[in-house]
Amino acid sequence: MTSLPRIVITMGDPAGVGPEVCLHLLADSQIARQCVPVLFGDAGILRRVAAATKLPLHAPVISHEQWNAEWSAIDWPCVVDLQTLAADAVQPGVVNAATGRAGYTYVDRAIDAALAGQVAAVSTAPLNKEAMHAAGINYPGHTEIFAARTNAPRSCMMQYSEEITCTFVTVHVGYRDVPALLTKERILDVIELTAAALERLRDKPPKIVVCGLNPHAGEHGLFGDREEERIIIPAIEAARQQGIDIEGPLPPDTAFLPWKRKATDAIVCMYHDQGHIPVKALAFDSAVNTTLGLPIIRTSVDHGTACDIAWQGKANPSSIFSAVRLALRLIGTSPYA
Amino acid sequence: MTSLPRIVITMGDPAGVGPEVCLHLLADSQIARQCVPVLFGDAGILRRVAAATKLPLHAPVISHEQWNAEWSAIDWPCVVDLQTLAADAVQPGVVNAATGRAGYTYVDRAIDAALAGQVAAVSTAPLNKEAMHAAGINYPGHTEIFAARTNAPRSCMMQYSEEITCTFVTVHVGYRDVPALLTKERILDVIELTAAALERLRDKPPKIVVCGLNPHAGEHGLFGDREEERIIIPAIEAARQQGIDIEGPLPPDTAFLPWKRKATDAIVCMYHDQGHIPVKALAFDSAVNTTLGLPIIRTSVDHGTACDIAWQGKANPSSIFSAVRLALRLIGTSPYA
């Protein structure tokens, strides 16, 4: 019997770079010393990608039925063949309804496995949203799939790297839809989830910064509709009363200054690009995407399907390695675990 | 007779770090070989700051009347004493209506000098907006003062550094006010101003990138109100028809990726923090703020009044040096010159 945690890796959209970064991971001896990676995907596709990229595929392939019967005894890297697609049904870089549905199915089954307690965490390779939508699956991203499938009463996206870590009050909504989604309760939820996750990662009470919504954080009502005074400051004060070490709302362009981010464990952002712009600019190859507040631990690569280089062996697998390593550090942080 | 261009430097809010960074500049022998710096401010304040910070003040002081009579013969660094404040009327770090009005007056007189052709450019030390507002002067910043005083039919802010350069379709407005201000005409104006300035700075046709408004640039209408399709893409297509080398609208977090910004001369941003966040994160000590499209050349430091360290000799003057150097490179780029 192994003492290593089992981690499900989902293969991502089969037409993208997901299969090849998963092949790198499955073959890595260092990863195999830290956990038992279990790849949920299509074995036929994976064999074609291995042949095309000259990457090795030595891990044994088992069926979904075999997994469900024998998961507790599995202590070696393996592939669970979900058989969603014929091996020859996919062209490299060509996403469509079939690849979108396949990518979603891997995630769906991975969530089942995690909710059933078969695995300690899920790390996901990239989906392609347009392919999913072509299949009639209308989630904007992994974050929303996991939140919906686990009925989490509150959750939020975190982008984590050693250089900079951001959490998000809103994510995949249009620019103009953000203000109506900002409430004291939602911001306080995100602050609490952020503080709990960072305390686990840092092993000490973290220092949290909260961004304003408006330029210069509204400059005392000069810009905007006093969202800072009406909504953000009350949430910060409520968090401070809980003993959270917190500062803000800062002018958004001040929050990311080099000395400020070095003195900060995490930055709470009001909208997608407020945090994604600096994370991608500063930590493009090391950031990991995760969802806080779920009953299961879930991390994800911070890149897309990169269809222009799919199945060519060019994709940099560092983000999926970072995702698995962060998942291992987060095990035990779920508020439900 | 000198062949060096005269540049007016405005002293900024007297209670902030403006006076001391100007003292550094006035005393610099390398700057004096490149231009004739003329400081518009209050000589009494400047002497107090020099004493407090132990910075030298050897430049001669002349009156505003003397300047207006003799400007064409002035070919040495000097201080033009505008006598807006008694020397003992200011406390370090304490801004108020009096310091706000003084800071504005320096800028106002500098614009007069530039419009009269007395100087080739204006470089500004930081104003304090709350102090200006206390004085009943309701501009959100230098950009708007220069645009209003010069009746420029179109202008835009540019933040310039060697690492990253951004121009702005909107600047000092609330988050929720941005979408209504985006028009094809305004975006095309900013693209044209950007291309013209960068062509001058690079000595070749520049490569311009335009950001979307929404996360993922709307992802083909998935997020937002199709601002990309309705407004931004038509502006980009009009610019391309003029022969401008242009790409976009890019997902905003893609536009600032390291390899993308290295291949790009300037990034056109839809709103303040879209560009200010990455500029401050990546080029916090070297970025220069300038206004394109004015009949006069104007550059500015990229920092505020920093009242917490005012008059202590701690302020880093590198931004005012960068501002003057960029002004020298921009001379001749005004569409009116």
Side-chain angles (χ1 to χ4, degrees):
Chain A
M1 226 182 109
T2 182
S3 63
L4 293 179
R6 276 178 295 274
I7 310 276
V8 173
I9 322 296
T10 62
M11 198 177 82
D13 192 289
V17 296
E20 63 201 87
V21 301
C22 291
L23 286 170
H24 281 282
L25 190 86
L26 272 184
D28 192 80
S29 58
Q30 202 171 21
I31 287 289
R33 281 194 294 273
Q34 298 174 298
C35 65
V36 179
V38 178
L39 180 60
F40 274 32
D42 270 293
I45 306 287
L46 210 58
R47 289 192 190 99
R48 279 185 65 204
V49 176
T53 59
K54 309 228 182 343
L55 287 165
L57 173 55
H58 301 311
V61 174
I62 63 175
S63 69
H64 197 214
E65 293 68 32
Q66 192 180 352
W67 165 260
N68 276 326
E70 301 173 18
W71 62 268
S72 64
I74 287 175
D75 58 2
W76 19 264
C78 64
V79 176
V80 175
D81 185 7
L82 297 177
Q83 299 191 12
T84 65
L85 281 172
D88 59 2
V90 178
Q91 300 289 328
V94 182
V95 300
N96 53 37
T99 69
R101 175 155 293 285
Y104 174 78
T105 301
Y106 312 148
V107 174
D108 190 57
R109 300 295 181 274
I111 294 171
D112 290 340
L115 288 173
Q118 298 173 344
V119 296
V122 179
S123 293
T124 54
L127 293 176
N128 186 288
K129 256 162 281 189
E130 292 180 52
M132 278 207 302
H133 290 207
I137 301 161
N138 287 314
Y139 290 107
H142 280 109
T143 305
E144 293 82 359
I145 298 173
F146 277 80
R149 280 266 356 244
T150 63
N151 295 310
R154 61 181 201 169
S155 63
C156 73
M157 179 191 282
M158 175 166 84
Q159 284 196 303
Y160 180 86
S161 75
E162 292 304 313
E163 173 66 29
I164 178 174
T165 294
C166 294
T167 58
F168 294 87
V169 174
T170 68
V171 187
H172 290 123
V173 297
Y175 177 97
R176 67 170 77 217
D177 301 322
V178 167
L181 295 170
L182 301 183
T183 63
K184 176 191 163 185
E185 292 68 30
R186 170 63 186 162
I187 296 170
L188 182 57
D189 278 348
V190 174
I191 293 170
E192 290 171 357
L193 291 168
T194 306
L198 270 292
E199 174 137 14
R200 169 80 182 192
L201 289 166
R202 298 279 186 258
D203 261 332
K204 62 177 185 184
K207 170 92 188 156
I208 309 289
V209 156
V210 180
C211 288
L213 173 69
N214 293 294
H216 308 191
E219 211 161 330
H220 306 295
L222 210 56
F223 312 127
D225 199 20
R226 302 186 75 82
E227 289 88 353
E228 285 79 9
E229 287 77 7
R230 291 189 294 107
I231 304 167
I232 303 175
I233 290 174
I236 291 172
E237 285 173 353
R240 194 173 284 130
Q241 283 178 4
Q242 296 177 23
I244 294 174
D245 184 0
I246 191 162
E247 179 185 5
L250 286 196
D253 55 349
T254 300
F256 299 97
L257 285 168
W259 55 90
K260 177 54 76 181
R261 56 181 199 258
K262 277 187 179 54
T264 302
D265 291 300
I267 300 166
V268 175
C269 299
M270 294 300 124
Y271 58 94
H272 182 279
D273 287 332
Q274 194 175 60
H276 280 67
I277 286 174
V279 167
K280 300 248 176 162
L282 296 164
F284 62 100
D285 57 358
S286 64
V288 177
N289 195 329
T290 183
T291 313
L292 305 180
L294 300 180
I296 56 185
I297 300 300
R298 172 259 158 171
T299 63
S300 174
V301 295
D302 192 37
H303 59 72
T305 43
C307 287
D308 52 323
I309 57 164
W311 297 32
Q312 297 173 28
K314 294 179 185 169
N316 181 342
S318 64
S319 191
I320 191 87
F321 281 79
S322 299
V324 170
R325 294 201 178 101
L326 181 64
L328 290 168
R329 293 177 62 194
L330 285 169
I331 289 170
T333 59
S334 165
Y336 307 83
Chain B
M1 226 183 109
T2 180
S3 62
L4 293 179
R6 276 178 295 274
I7 311 276
V8 173
I9 323 296
T10 62
M11 198 177 81
D13 191 290
V17 297
E20 63 202 88
V21 300
C22 291
L23 286 169
H24 281 282
L25 189 86
L26 272 184
D28 191 81
S29 59
Q30 202 171 20
I31 287 288
R33 280 195 295 274
Q34 298 175 296
C35 66
V36 178
V38 178
L39 180 60
F40 274 31
D42 270 293
I45 306 287
L46 210 59
R47 289 192 190 98
R48 280 185 64 204
V49 176
T53 59
K54 310 228 183 338
L55 288 164
L57 173 54
H58 301 310
V61 174
I62 64 175
S63 69
H64 197 214
E65 294 68 33
Q66 192 180 350
W67 166 260
N68 276 326
E70 301 173 20
W71 62 268
S72 64
I74 287 174
D75 59 2
W76 19 264
C78 65
V79 176
V80 175
D81 185 7
L82 297 177
Q83 299 191 12
T84 65
L85 281 171
D88 59 1
V90 178
Q91 301 287 329
V94 182
V95 300
N96 53 37
T99 68
R101 175 155 293 286
Y104 173 78
T105 301
Y106 311 149
V107 174
D108 191 56
R109 300 294 181 275
I111 293 171
D112 290 340
L115 288 174
Q118 297 172 346
V119 297
V122 179
S123 293
T124 54
L127 293 175
N128 187 287
K129 257 163 278 188
E130 292 182 50
M132 277 207 303
H133 289 205
I137 301 161
N138 287 315
Y139 290 107
H142 280 109
T143 305
E144 293 83 359
I145 298 173
F146 277 81
R149 281 263 359 243
T150 62
N151 295 310
R154 62 181 201 171
S155 63
C156 73
M157 179 191 283
M158 176 167 82
Q159 285 197 302
Y160 180 87
S161 75
E162 292 303 314
E163 173 66 29
I164 177 174
T165 294
C166 294
T167 58
F168 294 87
V169 174
T170 69
V171 187
H172 290 122
V173 298
Y175 178 95
R176 67 171 77 217
D177 300 323
V178 168
L181 295 170
L182 302 182
T183 63
K184 174 190 165 186
E185 293 69 29
R186 170 62 186 163
I187 296 170
L188 182 57
D189 278 348
V190 174
I191 293 170
E192 289 171 359
L193 292 168
T194 305
L198 270 293
E199 174 137 17
R200 170 79 183 192
L201 288 166
R202 298 279 185 259
D203 261 333
K204 61 178 185 183
K207 170 91 188 156
I208 309 290
V209 155
V210 181
C211 289
L213 173 70
N214 294 294
H216 308 190
E219 212 162 329
H220 306 296
L222 211 56
F223 312 128
D225 199 20
R226 301 187 74 83
E227 290 88 351
E228 285 78 10
E229 287 77 6
R230 290 188 296 108
I231 305 167
I232 302 175
I233 290 173
I236 291 172
E237 285 174 353
R240 193 173 285 130
Q241 282 177 5
Q242 296 177 23
I244 295 174
D245 183 0
I246 192 162
E247 179 186 5
L250 287 197
D253 55 349
T254 301
F256 299 97
L257 284 169
W259 55 89
K260 177 53 75 180
R261 56 182 199 259
K262 276 185 181 55
T264 302
D265 291 300
I267 300 166
V268 176
C269 300
M270 295 300 125
Y271 57 92
H272 182 278
D273 287 333
Q274 194 174 60
H276 280 68
I277 286 174
V279 167
K280 301 248 175 163
L282 295 163
F284 63 100
D285 57 359
S286 65
V288 177
N289 195 328
T290 183
T291 313
L292 305 180
L294 301 179
I296 58 186
I297 301 299
R298 171 259 158 172
T299 63
S300 174
V301 295
D302 192 37
H303 58 72
T305 43
C307 286
D308 53 321
I309 57 163
W311 297 32
Q312 296 173 30
K314 294 178 184 169
N316 180 342
S318 65
S319 190
I320 190 88
F321 281 80
S322 299
V324 170
R325 293 199 179 102
L326 181 64
L328 290 168
R329 293 177 62 194
L330 286 169
I331 289 170
T333 60
S334 164
Y336 307 84

